[in-house]
Amino acid sequence: MTISKKLLAIILAVVLVVLTISVAAVNVTAAAGDKVYCRASFVPYCYMWKKNTEENNHAWPGVAMTKVSGETDVYVYTVPDDKFDMIIFNGSGQTPDIAYPGGNKLYDFATNKWEDYNPDPVPVITVSKDGGSFKGSIDVTITVEDADSAYYTIDNGSHVVINGSATVTIGANSPEGTSIKLDISATNSYGTTTKSSTFKKRSSTGPATDGSTSDPVGGNYATNPNNGYGKRKTITIDGDKSDWEQSMLIAQGVANDDPRVYAGWSMHEIAFDDYAMYAAWDDTNLYVMYEMANVQDVVAPGEDYPMTQGNLWINNIPVFLYVYTGNGNITHGETATGTLWNSGNTLDAHADHVVAYSTNASNGPFIFTADDEGLLDADNPDLTIARADTGINIKWGNGKTLSGKLMGIPKAGKSNRTPGDCVDGQLTDFYGKNHKASMDMFYEMSIPLANLDITAADIENNGIGLLKISTFGTSGMDCLPYDLSMSDNAAKPYSADSSTSMEKEDADHLTVPMARVGKAFTPGAVTPTDPPVPTEAPVPTEAPTDPPVPTEPPVIIDLGDADEDGDISILDVTYIQRFEAGIALPTPLNQLNADVDGDGDVTIIDATLIQRFVAGIISTFPAQS
């Protein structure tokens, strides 16, 4: 087979057009002084010309580009004239003719694409906490990079200088219920960056109830059995349960109680059967482990699909862990348009965060935080921590339960089961029925406390609540602690497929309390603070006498030592800055020591003079002259 020269020429022309289109941008004329960049593994040359003319920037192959300082493979060329609108990069390889895209664009030889490039960075501002609600007060660390000068204000107050970083205490003296605005500004020769965050001071007392409207289910189920609230312990998340202990149990379920077992025509589907949940914590993470059962080999071995495909991590199915820390806005699971991920789940119990992920962890994990209206908003970056930033680690595996038992009712839907019959039914240990423990699953995860807006002290002093829901379709299948809504429509057919259960599509409203971690729920609980140190009661005398007239102690002034720690340091500068910003100080400011310029007032000028003294620029203060 041969191809004519004419046909070959057409093909090559088409290929060239395609290549040109793939790298071209909007055709504009360069301005003198424009900078154009190229990323390459060699020193590239830049050849520019005016389309349909002989005018160019230099004889072929153009001008050798200059490496950008600090970059390993980026080169720059400064456009000399206002007339060029075409460009070619060449060297070890050559681009097609490219329409000039404008200044501050970078052409990547490896991808044949343009991208924006800004070699002149404006300042970068980061904060450890970007708004939200808090109790008492909150410390926010501000970090500024590439700035010649920076400052912050609180509620449009005085400017407080930031040198690299600063920690700001917000809200210590603010009334509960008020909003506090933190504004930050950083400037360098390339521009100014600003950032604003708003914080809301919540009531220091917790709610009178946990929100639940029914008691725990009880019977064969248990919430915080034996008053167990988990345990402080560091857990290695590795798909191995050896770090976990039975004393960490916070919610007990029952095997073989998911909706499919209440209708014989559902036994061909995979089990979503929550069995037990455990919790632990340390200074960094909350740890959660839950066990799930798949007893198909005992209750319906004729339906082999749930046995051969039983591990849930082969599927992408939503799981929700509702968390109540007491440090955020209360939500009951609603969004502005319904429920999170259209799960149909709502609950009476208070929650303020939701950890959402799929059974194979390909979707999520995400952490959603309730807004001021109590709603969850997956599209709001201020209230949603995306998968890459949650710091959550999830692993899974198979094996026998931590307790060594798997208690449940060994009957399937053809045995006239009634939804909820596991509450008071006669249970059997499935392991005694030759059930293979290799079919049972567990998940373990670590969740950074910082991303739940809590500390280990919050768990130990006030406790937190957890409630986990497994879903299938658009509805809950099972949960820990257990709620009867998980099976209320189990024996009814699914509208889209009468061979499965209606539980895949009904709305589930849960009324039970959450399992607690660290401590039981206490109505109106307050994070305890250090109690005042009691003073010794005076010893009464037989008859009161006139007290001696006190003499005034001599006034000793140590200029510069604003915090009275016996040393003049940068800490005194920070102390004055916090004083000027209206931020609470741990001890009173010594205004006589701080007034180093001797003008009778403490201002940011005094802080600057102390800073110059510490740096050795001055050796005495104006007030000493």
Side-chain angles (χ1 to χ4, degrees), residues 84-95:
F84 306 126
D85 56 7
M86 299 296 293
I87 189 169
I88 288 177
F89 298 104
N90 60 90
S92 180
Q94 178 180 320
T95 68

Side-chain angles (χ1 to χ4, degrees), residues 156-300:
N156 299 316
S158 302
H159 289 196
V160 181
V161 174
I162 304 171
N163 292 313
S165 66
T167 298
V168 187
T169 299
I170 292 175
N173 298 317
S174 302
E176 293 180 351
T178 59
S179 293
I180 303 155
K181 189 179 181 187
L182 173 66
D183 289 305
I184 308 164
S185 178
T187 301
N188 64 17
S189 58
Y190 303 117
T192 297
T193 302
T194 61
K195 186 174 183 62
S196 296
S197 301
T198 300
F199 301 84
K200 184 176 181 180
K201 185 168 182 176
R202 293 170 50 81
S203 170
S204 60
T205 58
T209 74
D210 64 359
S212 62
T213 55
S214 68
D215 292 330
V217 172
N220 293 314
Y221 298 88
T223 301
N224 296 110
N226 303 314
N227 294 319
Y229 300 101
K231 181 179 179 180
R232 174 186 266 271
K233 183 180 180 181
T234 299
I235 305 292
T236 301
I237 304 301
D238 55 3
D240 185 316
K241 287 194 284 190
S242 59
D243 288 341
W244 294 92
E245 303 171 17
Q246 187 64 22
S247 61
M248 301 174 185
L249 179 67
I250 60 170
Q252 181 63 64
V254 172
N256 204 31
D257 69 341
D258 59 323
R260 70 195 192 109
V261 306
Y262 296 107
W265 26 260
S266 291
M267 295 307 297
H268 60 280
E269 295 197 313
I270 297 173
F272 289 82
D273 191 358
D274 291 327
Y275 185 70
M277 182 161 63
Y278 298 78
W281 69 90
D282 59 18
D283 287 333
T284 305
N285 292 302
L286 170 68
Y287 303 98
V288 179
M289 188 270 284
Y290 56 88
E291 298 169 324
M292 303 185 73
N294 180 8
V295 295
Q296 187 79 8
D297 58 344
V298 174
V299 299

